[in-house]
Amino acid sequence: MAPGIAVNSKTKLRYEDGVDGDGGRGRNETLPLKYVNHFNNSLLAGIKVGDNKPFRINLYGDFRISYTLLPVFNRTVSDQGDNLDTRMLTFSASLGVRF
């Protein structure tokens, strides 16, 4: 289990064209991200492979997966009707040298 707390819930919006359609360069905005669950919990699983003998240089691989137990947002639909029913599934792989 891995608890998580949202400390910053903002989003950056970048526009390729002008917002009013004039073809001019649009401005970038940083806005608060609404309806974020400020506390969440994730299930973690992982496996480490490689030599684990002391006093030697060892190569190893570490593979992990995590999945949030609660949705990222506390609503399923935004004010504009967009889908907010989201969760996070994360895979990671790393290689390392232990000495």
Side-chain angles (χ1 to χ4, degrees):
M1 298 293 284
I5 298 172
V7 294
N8 185 0
S9 55
K10 293 183 180 179
T11 185
K12 290 185 180 182
L13 302 174
R14 296 189 177 121
Y15 301 102
E16 216 171 290
D17 295 327
V19 177
D20 57 3
D22 65 357
R25 186 169 182 90
R27 63 186 177 125
N28 297 330
E29 297 178 295
T30 300
L31 301 171
L33 195 56
K34 294 187 199 179
Y35 317 120
V36 173
N37 272 327
H38 291 285
F39 178 79
N40 210 330
N41 228 336
S42 296
L43 290 175
L44 296 174
I47 187 168
K48 181 178 171 184
V49 293
D51 197 3
N52 203 19
K53 294 179 182 173
F55 308 114
R56 288 186 47 200
I57 294 177
N58 301 309
L59 295 175
Y60 69 91
D62 190 59
F63 306 96
R64 297 182 185 202
I65 183 172
S66 69
Y67 180 71
T68 56
L69 295 177
L70 297 173
V72 174
F73 298 99
N74 56 21
R75 290 178 63 180
T76 56
V77 179
S78 72
D79 294 337
Q80 293 80 23
D82 297 323
N83 180 22
L84 292 180
D85 190 15
T86 57
R87 295 183 188 264
M88 291 191 304
L89 177 64
T90 307
F91 296 94
S92 66
S94 61
L95 298 174
V97 177
R98 182 176 167 195
F99 51 94

